[in-house]
Amino acid sequence: MRTWTRFGVCASICAVMLFPLYAMLVVAFTPKSELFNGGTHLWPARFTTDNFTNLFDRFPIGTWFTNSVLVAAITTAVAVTCNLLAGYAFAKLHFWGRSPLFFLILSTMMIPAQAIMIPQFRMVSALGIFGTFWAVILPSAATAFGIFLARQFMQSVPDELLEAARVDGAGNLTIFLRIVLPLCKPLIAVLVLLSFMAQWNDFLWPLIVLKTPELYTLPVSLRFLQGQYDANYGGLMAMALLTCLPLVVLFVLLQRYFVQGLARTGIK
Amino acid sequence: MSVTRRQFLAGATGVAASTWLTGCGGFSKSSSDSSTSKKTVTFMTWASDAEASAFKRLASAFEAANSGVTVDLKIVPYAEMFTGVDAQLQAGTAPDVFRVDYPTMGLYSSTDQLLDLTGHLDSTLTSDFIPALYQAVQFDGKPYGVPHQTDTTCIVYQPAMLQAAGITSVPDSLGSAWSWSEFSDVANKLKASLGADVAPFAYDWQAAGAYRWLTWLFEAGGKLLESDLKTAAIVGAPGTKALEFTRSFFENEWVPKNTSIKGAYPDTVFISEKIAMSFVGDFLLPGIDDGVKNKFEWKATFQPQDARASSDLGGNALVATQQASDPDLAAEFLRFMVSADNMSAFCEEAVELPTLQSLVGEKLNYATRPDLMPIFAQQATTMTADDVAQVTVPFFGQINTLLADQLEQCFTSGQSVDDTLSNIANAVETAAKG
Amino acid sequence: MAAVETVDRTTAERGGSHGRRQLVIREGVTGYLFVWPNLVLLTLFLFVPLGWALLLSLQDAKSFGPATWVGLDNYRTLFTDSVFWRVLLNSLVFTAATVPTSVAIGLVLANLLNRALPARNSLRTIIYLPIVISGLVTSLIGLLLFDEGVGILNGVTRSLGLGNVDWQTNGGLAMLSVVLMTLWTRIGFAMVIYLAGLQDIPEDLYESAQLDGASELQQFRFITVPMLRASTLFLVVMNVIWSFQVFDVVYVMTNGGPGFSTSMLVTYAYDRGFGPSRDFGYGATIGVVLFVITLVFSLIQLRSSRQEA
């Protein structure tokens, strides 16, 4: 297929894929009165930052933003560490029950989160962490997808490297830290991004287990805006923009590693 | 294994960070959980902007009137309010006081989650409550909360659109409210005059408001439950009449197609001038006012009547939980919130109706459209104690859900009227047993 | 002399094999040590709750008040629950609509964007950017686009003179709107996985095919697609799991409506468990059934692919 045909097809698809984000951007800056006048809203007559200033007036955005960052960062740290360790173990260490255990862990991906929400918060209150950030961090750090990616990726680390290190007398931990991890930078990027993103975007669980509004994370604010009867799209889009902007920035910065990392999970 | 300086630094930072973090509020049980020398009342509620500001003012007033007491007001999103309450009740960390609508309250009062207020409320107060509403907060003859405010539905309309359709008179008193046939006339005239894009009206039965369909049933002289509150009474002539009439809204295209039970809320549609009239609750007036601003003039009138007039039970009660650390203080707070002065202040700011008889006749200084509120106040008096009893049974939550499902099937999926009525009757009786 | 040497050698050998077994044991222990943090988390927050959910499904449990054991009653009710079957059908339709489509489009895009193209990196970024947009924000944008009254799409169709489209009142169109928003977030991931897979296909395969006179389409069918089989398997399994577990988009955009046209298994479980009826037992039952269905499907997929290979 000729280059320009390919470009044309791709560009059109991209235009369609970009349209929702464009809509969000435009409406975030459209004044409320214009939103209800039945027009197309594709290019408002007036631009305003009222939607944003309103948000900052009504809600403790700064606090919620900090909460989101804190919770997402810690969850990511815990989850990625656990996933790397476990991934390495499943990829390179031989221990009794390794295969069945791995499949057992994979099967947890099939559990729908909402179906176990009630037992999960009974667990959380039994552990005495209900109402604290740990109630959000710990359950979210338990994810099988990360272990799966880590194991796939680490399988591509050549065994000879590890053998050589062992012959030199290195212990397992040293091999892991000094040899394997430095080779895993793309994997770490993928795990960090996916974990941070999943935690940042979660709204239902934090809403239920964080009973104090001061502890809320940013996406929860979107539920406030949806209100009991409201359809204030201007405010909603403004908040939505604030909510996804940090992730978009993070993603654009890390995207090279992300693609590399996924590639080397060797899904083949 | 030698530890490099970098490793040491990393480790030290980690330790320092985690120490700081554990000191940080979100990581340990907050101090308000443990008893401190300051007495605290935790109050959990959802709130519109107007309600939130009113609650905050009243909370400060309570603190000022009771030195050494703090009111910890927690405002949460409506959609997940009760999931949160349920979770906290189960975890044993429930708020001392929370706000709950009358139909949902039965679930908590009948399962021993709420504080029995007998002995905390004196008879001058309880006899001043509107009887139907005081009835609504009782279970087994005992009060488990205080009725704080009530809302009901009336019709808001654009006079310009009605005049253009040749509708010259609009009811201005409860007695002269449109009959069903007069209402049908109005709808037909509007349909003829308005054109394809605009519909005559929309009704507010979306989502959790499905029970507002019962207004039509009551107006037709029907009932949902017999007086034993366990046997279904909906199958019969009034039920058939009500369901056929409401289904005709969709058949005759009197309402926009997307405003059925699982559809869009009518107030937004009214603001964007896609309907000439809308059935809305009084709590929506501030939002409509804000959305309409000066675009067009709008007024209100009464709901239609048939065999009788009726309306829907809206509004919320304030309740205290069994888990409250200081039951007397919690009860004190409840009494404070329903005293005449505080109730009228709240209702004026939030644009909602009071629950004390002594306030009903008074001209309250509502923050938005004080000219329209008397209409809502009068419409609220059409509810009888019997109506209220039917919508406040402990299992009403289930009734609301099944009503929503069955009505949706009838309105949009062509389920027959007879089937719908018998389905509802069966489901109601199953719920009553469970 | 020889005897001593023999003794020494035997000792050395024995020391050698003992040392080797020690290594194996130590590796095994290390393996467990490395795995236990994750295992603790998974046990506490996934395995135990799953077991609990199983217990709940055997009870008539409401939010409060005592729960009574009812054995398999909930499951019996489930099988005669017409709403459940409708919801199951919806989930199947949704899965059938989203999985092949997103995988296929991802494959096509990966191919198109594999070779040099102006602004290739930007194009790729635009396509997989929606991955980071949360389900909630995606649904809100979906509402903005598809709202019948004030939505953007209807605004456009109205200004083009085509009138209103019944995105929310027509069951089929509502399902379409939910499917479209889901596809928006899935295509990018498929594309990335395929891009990675394409890098591993040796160039000379294509060269020799071209020499044999194969057209681009034939090269695609007979070289590209088979070589990407592992990627396809991975994508299909993951997408099916995700589609069966769809929640946010439906919960926020249509709330399952109109009627039950867009209700899915998880939203139905949530409605029954957390909605006004607060029937935790029944909600747990639906969840358990969903888990089993997904598990069975994945096993079938894996087994059939292993047989092929």
Side-chain angles (χ1 to χ4, degrees):
Chain A
M1 215 195 279
R2 291 215 314 255
T3 310
W4 287 106
T5 326
R6 272 193 298 137
F7 182 74
V9 171
C10 290
S12 340
I13 297 184
C14 280
V16 171
M17 305 259 319
L18 205 50
F19 182 66
L21 291 177
Y22 170 75
M24 172 175 75
L25 206 55
V26 162
V27 172
F29 289 98
T30 308
K32 188 168 174 183
S33 48
E34 257 194 65
L35 284 172
F36 288 115
N37 67 5
T40 60
H41 318 312
L42 283 181
W43 192 257
R46 230 172 27 94
F47 280 96
T48 175
T49 51
D50 276 350
N51 293 325
F52 290 95
T53 47
N54 255 334
L55 288 177
F56 280 95
D57 283 338
R58 284 174 70 178
F59 301 116
I61 307 257
T63 314
W64 287 348
F65 185 84
T66 319
N67 291 341
S68 277
V69 172
L70 210 54
V71 170
I74 298 180
T75 311
T76 305
V78 173
V80 173
T81 314
C82 290
N83 288 341
L84 287 173
L85 287 171
Y88 176 68
F90 282 115
K92 295 293 179 190
L93 296 176
H94 300 275
F95 53 95
W96 182 78
R98 185 176 77 165
S99 275
L101 190 58
F102 187 64
F103 281 110
L104 196 60
I105 290 181
L106 280 191
S107 69
T108 61
M109 286 199 283
M110 328 233 174
I111 303 177
Q114 290 77 14
I116 51 169
M117 238 176 217
I118 295 147
Q120 270 182 334
F121 76 61
R122 284 191 185 168
M123 173 62 79
V124 153
S125 55
L127 290 173
I129 52 177
F130 188 89
T132 67
F133 282 142
W134 296 113
V136 179
I137 293 172
L138 292 180
S140 312
T143 143
F145 192 57
I147 304 179
F148 174 70
L149 288 181
R151 181 235 200 196
Q152 293 300 111
F153 188 95
M154 290 197 189
Q155 276 185 332
S156 67
V157 173
D159 283 333
E160 299 81 57
L161 273 179
L162 308 179
E163 271 311 307
R166 231 169 253 153
V167 165
D168 283 347
N172 274 309
L173 189 61
T174 323
I175 297 181
F176 177 68
L177 289 174
R178 292 270 178 84
I179 301 185
V180 179
L181 273 192
L183 294 174
C184 287
K185 289 210 185 68
L187 171 68
I188 297 180
V190 172
L191 289 178
V192 164
L193 191 62
L194 289 180
S195 178
F196 195 85
M197 177 182 110
Q199 188 44 56
W200 180 274
N201 285 332
D202 194 10
F203 78 95
L204 196 53
W205 181 250
L207 233 181
I208 296 178
V209 297
L210 293 173
K211 42 190 197 135
T212 326
E214 297 86 62
L215 294 181
Y216 281 164
T217 53
L218 213 50
V220 172
S221 58
L222 287 167
R223 294 303 271 171
F224 267 116
L225 287 168
Q226 270 193 298
Q228 207 172 350
Y229 328 100
D230 253 343
N232 175 15
Y233 283 118
L236 269 175
M237 290 301 122
M239 185 55 113
L241 193 59
L242 285 180
T243 318
C244 63
L245 209 52
L247 279 184
V248 169
V249 168
L250 188 66
F251 184 71
V252 170
L253 288 176
L254 287 181
Q255 63 174 310
R256 194 162 40 111
Y257 296 110
F258 181 68
V259 179
Q260 250 184 51
L262 277 183
R264 301 231 327 252
T265 54
I267 320 273
K268 46 176 169 298
Chain B
M1 194 171 68
S2 65
V3 180
T4 67
R5 195 160 42 155
R6 204 187 304 166
Q7 284 174 335
F8 175 76
L9 232 47
T13 322
V15 170
S18 54
T19 321
W20 170 71
L21 283 173
T22 36
C24 194
F27 289 92
S28 46
K29 286 287 200 148
S30 53
S31 54
S32 61
D33 274 5
S34 52
S35 56
T36 51
S37 56
K38 248 184 173 248
K39 301 211 279 181
T40 318
V41 178
T42 40
F43 174 32
M44 181 171 161
T45 179
W46 74 94
S48 67
D49 283 346
E51 292 171 334
S53 122
F55 276 129
K56 286 187 190 136
R57 262 191 325 108
L58 288 170
S60 314
F62 187 72
E63 289 176 344
N66 298 280
S67 67
V69 170
T70 337
V71 176
D72 187 9
L73 175 63
K74 296 190 211 286
I75 301 186
V76 301
Y78 177 70
E80 280 86 29
M81 162 86 184
F82 293 108
T83 324
V85 167
D86 288 2
Q88 292 180 44
L89 281 168
Q90 292 205 32
T93 57
D96 297 321
V97 170
F98 67 91
R99 185 185 188 208
V100 60
D101 56 285
Y102 300 109
T104 310
M105 185 179 155
L107 173 68
Y108 299 105
S109 51
S110 62
T111 49
D112 217 25
Q113 303 295 321
L114 302 180
L115 190 63
D116 179 357
L117 293 175
T118 333
H120 287 280
L121 305 173
D122 67 42
S123 53
T124 37
L125 178 61
T126 57
S127 54
D128 196 17
F129 285 132
I130 297 175
L133 295 176
Y134 186 55
Q135 152 97 25
V137 300
Q138 290 182 47
F139 176 72
D140 224 15
K142 295 189 276 253
Y144 283 95
V146 288
H148 183 231
Q149 40 91 195
T150 185
D151 300 309
T152 198
T153 303
C154 281
I155 304 179
V156 294
Y157 65 95
Q158 247 199 69
M161 287 186 176
L162 264 58
Q163 272 156 21
I167 298 158
T168 44
S169 76
V170 172
D172 58 356
S173 72
L174 199 48
S176 63
W178 284 315
S179 67
W180 282 15
S181 55
E182 286 170 341
F183 184 70
S184 306
D185 271 346
V186 168
N188 280 324
K189 285 200 182 118
L190 281 170
K191 175 132 184 65
S193 136
L194 284 171
D197 258 358
V198 185
F201 66 93
Y203 194 74
D204 58 346
W205 43 32
Q206 290 73 23
Y211 73 99
R212 296 200 183 99
W213 177 84
L214 293 172
T215 307
W216 300 101
L217 177 66
F218 297 155
E219 284 170 9
K223 285 161 70 111
L224 177 68
L225 293 163
E226 302 286 4
S227 28
D228 66 354
L229 295 182
K230 284 198 200 311
T231 329
I234 190 175
V235 177
T240 313
K241 183 173 187 197
L243 195 51
E244 282 179 349
F245 187 56
T246 45
R247 189 167 71 165
S248 73
F249 297 169
F250 293 91
E251 291 163 349
N252 298 335
E253 296 188 351
W254 287 344
V255 296
K257 269 184 292 189
N258 72 331
T259 58
S260 90
I261 314 283
K262 298 218 176 178
Y265 290 111
D267 55 313
T268 336
V269 191
F270 182 72
I271 297 175
S272 53
E273 301 193 68
K274 297 267 179 291
I275 44 180
M277 311 192 289
S278 184
F279 287 73
V280 295
D282 50 82
F283 49 83
L284 288 173
L285 293 182
I288 298 180
D289 197 46
D290 191 45
V292 169
K293 290 214 178 13
N294 296 319
K295 266 200 299 182
F296 56 84
E297 195 202 355
W298 52 287
K299 293 192 177 160
T301 184
F302 299 95
Q303 291 199 63
Q305 55 180 337
D306 190 50
R308 53 170 277 227
S310 182
S311 196
D312 57 286
L313 174 66
N316 303 284
L318 296 176
V319 299
T321 53
Q322 281 272 31
Q323 296 176 23
S325 43
D326 189 340
D328 290 327
L329 184 58
E332 168 87 37
F333 183 69
L334 293 181
R335 287 195 297 271
F336 176 81
M337 292 299 284
V338 295
S339 70
D341 287 337
N342 292 329
M343 185 186 284
S344 56
F346 181 85
C347 290
E348 285 172 347
E349 193 169 346
V351 193
E352 288 161 0
L353 299 170
T355 58
L356 292 171
Q357 294 183 65
S358 49
L359 290 178
V360 167
E362 285 201 22
K363 262 218 149 258
L364 289 177
N365 195 11
Y366 293 106
T368 314
R369 297 305 303 257
D371 57 317
L372 300 182
M373 285 304 279
I375 299 179
F376 287 90
Q378 284 184 63
Q379 184 77 59
T381 62
T382 57
M383 265 190 304
T384 63
D386 191 45
D387 295 344
V388 168
Q390 292 177 59
V391 299
T392 52
V393 289
F395 53 92
F396 192 75
Q398 289 168 277
I399 295 186
N400 207 6
T401 320
L402 67 95
L403 260 184
D405 294 338
Q406 291 302 321
L407 289 174
E408 180 76 5
Q409 303 273 55
C410 185
F411 292 160
T412 62
S413 312
Q415 185 172 259
S416 80
V417 167
D418 289 331
D419 280 345
T420 311
L421 290 175
S422 57
N423 286 349
I424 296 177
N426 288 335
V428 163
E429 294 191 341
T430 320
K433 268 183 272 184
Chain C
M1 219 42 103
V4 175
E5 280 176 1
T6 321
V7 169
D8 280 346
R9 215 178 346 164
T10 325
T11 319
E13 274 176 9
R14 215 183 296 131
S17 72
H18 181 54
R20 209 170 25 245
R21 186 154 16 110
Q22 260 196 340
L23 264 178
V24 168
I25 293 177
R26 202 160 38 157
E27 189 174 305
V29 169
T30 318
Y32 283 116
L33 276 177
F34 273 42
V35 166
W36 82 259
N38 236 319
L39 219 45
V40 166
L41 284 176
L42 285 173
T43 311
L44 278 180
F45 297 110
L46 283 177
F47 290 123
V48 170
L50 182 62
W52 228 330
L54 199 56
L55 288 178
L56 271 177
S57 71
L58 301 173
Q59 296 178 327
D60 176 18
K62 301 273 157 66
S63 325
F64 314 105
T68 51
W69 288 95
V70 293
L72 295 175
D73 269 2
N74 280 331
Y75 290 92
R76 271 190 274 270
T77 320
L78 193 68
F79 284 110
T80 55
D81 182 357
S82 59
V83 178
F84 169 71
W85 292 109
R86 175 68 206 265
V87 158
L88 181 60
L89 181 66
N90 286 344
S91 290
L92 288 171
V93 167
F94 180 78
T95 307
T98 49
V99 177
T101 325
S102 59
V103 172
I105 298 182
L107 180 58
V108 168
L109 284 174
N111 263 284
L112 292 177
L113 290 169
N114 195 25
R115 283 159 288 163
L117 209 59
R120 184 177 69 168
N121 279 333
S122 310
L123 290 175
R124 285 187 187 177
T125 309
I126 292 176
I127 293 175
Y128 50 62
L129 198 54
I131 294 177
V132 297
I133 310 288
S134 71
L136 182 53
V137 172
T138 308
S139 326
L140 291 174
I141 298 181
L143 274 176
L144 175 67
L145 294 174
F146 290 100
D147 186 312
E148 274 182 13
V150 296
I152 291 190
L153 288 183
N154 272 5
V156 169
T157 55
R158 270 196 301 265
S159 57
L160 290 176
L162 298 169
N164 267 345
V165 182
D166 296 337
W167 296 112
Q168 291 168 310
T169 37
N170 178 309
L173 287 177
M175 177 67 91
L176 182 62
S177 69
V178 171
V179 167
L180 287 176
M181 289 318 291
T182 307
L183 283 178
W184 185 62
T185 58
R186 300 269 186 93
I187 291 179
F189 185 73
M191 185 189 76
V192 171
I193 298 289
Y194 276 132
L195 275 176
L198 283 175
Q199 284 173 19
D200 285 335
I201 304 182
E203 264 304 303
D204 41 341
L205 278 179
Y206 289 110
E207 281 165 12
S208 49
Q210 221 163 11
L211 286 174
D212 286 345
S215 72
E216 269 194 42
L217 202 57
Q218 283 173 318
Q219 287 175 40
F220 180 75
R221 264 187 71 195
F222 296 112
I223 303 179
T224 316
V225 173
M227 293 289 290
L228 289 174
R229 211 188 0 233
S231 308
T232 308
L233 175 66
F234 171 70
L235 284 172
V236 167
V237 171
M238 289 314 304
N239 271 290
V240 164
I241 294 177
W242 290 334
S243 285
F244 261 99
Q245 293 183 359
V246 69
F247 179 77
D248 283 357
V249 176
V250 172
Y251 181 58
V252 176
M253 254 184 91
T254 59
N255 202 16
F260 287 108
S261 329
T262 56
S263 296
M264 306 285 162
L265 283 166
V266 184
T267 60
Y268 186 50
Y270 183 81
D271 276 342
R272 294 303 298 263
F274 287 97
S277 55
R278 287 176 171 78
D279 196 346
F280 285 176
Y282 199 64
T285 313
I286 302 173
V288 169
V289 169
L290 174 57
F291 171 66
V292 170
I293 293 178
T294 323
L295 196 59
V296 166
F297 171 84
S298 307
L299 286 176
I300 294 179
Q301 266 298 98
L302 288 173
R303 183 139 309 168
S304 73
S305 85
R306 206 167 293 172
Q307 279 172 349
E308 266 179 36

